[in-house]
Amino acid sequence: MITTKEIVKAVNAKLKAGLPDLKIKSTDIRKNVEPGSLYVEYPLPMFDGTEDLRHEAGTIRICYFPADEYNYRIEFADMQKKLSELFFGSLKVAEHFTIPINELEFEQSDGVLLISFDYETWQYVTETGDDMEHIEVGTDMDQIGGQNGTTKYSG
């Protein structure tokens, strides 16, 4: 089963591969801001579903801090294009697990370029425990014909 941690790793790997010259930060944004770097933020996702089917939905945000904090208009346009090319369409998380990304949202705030996109996964829950080898079931003796009100099944 794919975890949130694996989704975040896939985002960071895609950024490292597509923008190898930039530093990527994922810790405290207030302490690690460097000109010409990226900060990846992943607020806690929402989980729901059933015992057999798990649904996860969340948003990934990437902040780009320009190399020149006073003259960044062209730099933002170039970075927006690069990030669009990296993330629009899909995010491959594992060999057989890809998340479609149908919409990228860009905004500029306080001299920082922000990109955000939502993701959603639906996964079947697989049993991770040992197979049942022995079950005792209390039953009505008249219907089963067992002894002492208990029928034993062994595997």
Side-chain angles (χ1 to χ4, degrees):
M1 196 147 144
I2 299 298
T3 64
T4 306
K5 182 178 179 180
E6 291 170 298
I7 294 169
V8 172
K9 281 184 176 182
V11 169
N12 287 337
K14 198 163 202 173
L15 286 169
K16 286 177 185 174
L19 303 166
D21 298 333
L22 296 181
K23 289 185 180 180
I24 301 166
K25 306 287 186 170
S26 294
T27 56
D28 190 351
I29 191 169
R30 295 165 289 183
K31 296 178 183 177
N32 291 310
V33 175
E34 291 181 28
S37 68
L38 296 164
Y39 173 78
V40 180
E41 180 181 56
Y42 39 95
L44 296 175
M46 183 272 309
F47 296 97
D48 66 0
T50 68
E51 62 185 50
D52 298 324
L53 189 64
R54 179 175 160 242
H55 174 236
E56 177 179 337
T59 301
I60 302 287
R61 291 188 192 100
I62 302 168
C63 306
Y64 174 68
F65 300 93
D68 182 347
E69 63 182 299
Y70 301 106
N71 190 14
Y72 49 78
R73 202 165 157 184
I74 300 298
E75 188 178 352
F76 274 7
D78 290 341
M79 184 54 62
Q80 183 174 351
K81 181 178 185 240
K82 290 175 184 177
L83 291 169
S84 293
E85 291 170 353
L86 279 176
F87 289 102
F88 187 75
S90 65
L91 175 65
K92 186 173 184 176
V93 179
E95 184 64 32
H96 299 289
F97 197 92
T98 300
I99 298 172
I101 300 173
N102 301 320
E103 182 176 81
L104 301 173
E105 293 183 35
F106 288 90
E107 61 182 281
Q108 179 182 330
S109 177
D110 297 326
V112 177
L113 178 66
L114 305 167
I115 173 180
S116 62
F117 57 89
D118 296 329
Y119 71 90
E120 194 167 18
T121 65
W122 290 89
Q123 299 179 74
Y124 285 103
V125 176
T126 57
E127 281 192 37
T128 57
D130 296 331
D131 290 337
M132 294 188 284
E133 293 181 11
H134 182 79
I135 300 175
E136 289 192 22
V137 180
T139 61
D140 183 357
M141 289 306 303
D142 293 332
Q143 293 177 0
I144 302 288
Q147 298 176 356
N148 300 330
T150 302
T151 303
K152 294 186 179 185
Y153 298 91
S154 295

